[in-house]
């Protein structure tokens, strides 16, 4: 479903600020794989997401979605196959627009040009049904401006918008990191439900080790632009936080330097 082949990315090449963000990264995801991604700060996790979604081009290597090389395809075009939720609750939604207007934008994504942005009674019913799946009462506040919602509500809405058009791939980059623990847990369980229900092929970056172990069927660990460990379904069941951190130390020769790490 998603193949990343020998992707490398260097920032500021040839200067004192040269940074290796990705070095020959290779990753294959099958349809329905839910992969959690952990790693130290600056390991290249967000860069990997940016290259998959087309925000930036790699210096070398290719990205394939469904066996199609999408490396030359724009971020805008890829957005019909890729849903994304960011860390910042402000990033995924338009604050001055209402909940239903935001959903109308998400609904339009990937659809034929000329689809009206107006909310009709038919689309309103679809939106209400989708919102009620979240189970947090947003279906009763469809006319409310999104700027008035809490961070957790906005992330839940962002998640719904990112998955509205049933993308082939869902990318989550620390999407619960800015939330307090209770809201983070709510958005995490919504994520788990949506991913399972829609069988979405998903990459989720998290600093929460317990979450990285509990969610998904696979786990990858990154350091210095490389995927240094892949844990597959059969082994993931037996992982513990201690084992995971131990593996990191053993492979990289250092302790995991992550200023936001949550052990669970
Ligand atoms: N636009 C950029 N310009 C220059 N350097 C960058 C840019 N984006 C990322 N980098 C550098 O590339 C490396 C990888 O960064 P990246 O953001 O992918 O790491 P990360 O694993 O997401 O880290 P974090 O856990 O802190 O979010 C880092 O050294 C970073 O400083
Ligand atoms: Mg990052």
């Amino acid at each position: 479903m998603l193949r990343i082949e020998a992707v490398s990315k260097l920032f500021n090449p040839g200067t004192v600020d040269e940074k290796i963000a990705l070095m020959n990264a290779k990753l294959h995801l099958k349809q329905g794989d839910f992969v959690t991604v952990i790693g130290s700060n600056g390991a290249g996790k967000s860069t990997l997401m940016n290259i998959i979604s087309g925000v930036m081009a790699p210096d070398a290597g290719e990205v394939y979605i469904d066996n199609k090389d999408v490396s030359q395809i724009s971020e805008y075009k890829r957005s019909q196959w890729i849903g994304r939720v960011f860390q910042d609750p402000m990033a995924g939604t338009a604050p001055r627009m209402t909940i239903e207007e935001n959903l109308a934008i998400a609904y339009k994504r990937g659809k034929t040009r000329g689809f009206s942005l107006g909310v009709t009674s038919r689309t309103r019913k679809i939106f209400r049904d989708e919102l009620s799946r979240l189970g947090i009462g947003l279906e009763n506040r469809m006319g409310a401006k999104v700027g008035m919602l809490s961070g957790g509500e906005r992330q839940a809405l962002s998640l719904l918008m990112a998955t509205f058009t049933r993308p082939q791939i869902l990318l989550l980059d620390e999407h619960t990191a800015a939330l307090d623990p209770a809201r983070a847990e709510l958005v995490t369980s919504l994520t788990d439900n949506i991913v399972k229900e829609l069988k979405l092929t998903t990459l989720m970056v998290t600093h929460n080790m317990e979450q990285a172990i509990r969610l998904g069927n696979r786990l990858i660990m990154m350091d210095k632009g490389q995927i240094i460990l892949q844990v597959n379904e059969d082994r993931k069941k037996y992982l513990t936080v201690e084992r995971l951190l131990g593996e990191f130390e053993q492979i990289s020769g250092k302790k995991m330097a992550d200023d936001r790490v949550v052990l669970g």
Side-chain angles (χ1 to χ4, degrees), residues 99-151:
I99 292 178
E100 65 182 9
E101 285 164 351
N102 270 272
L103 284 169
I105 294 172
Y107 192 64
K108 183 177 183 287
R109 187 159 13 107
K111 292 224 160 38
T112 45
R113 273 164 207 279
F115 174 85
S116 154
L117 264 188
V119 181
T120 63
S121 58
R122 189 181 70 85
T123 50
R124 184 168 287 134
K125 161 116 179 48
I126 296 171
F127 298 166
R128 179 164 292 128
D129 290 348
E130 289 283 332
L131 283 166
S132 51
R133 284 151 43 98
L134 296 175
I136 54 174
L138 291 183
E139 67 277 16
N140 303 317
R141 300 167 64 191
M142 286 182 18
K145 294 262 196 294
V146 166
M148 303 302 285
L149 303 182
S150 73

Side-chain angles (χ1 to χ4, degrees), residues 11-12 19-21 40-47 174 207 260:
F11 287 108
N12 308 314
K19 292 257 164 59
I20 299 172
S40 32
N41 295 128
K45 304 179 296 293
S46 297
T47 304
E174 299 185 53
H207 289 261
R260 280 162 290 161

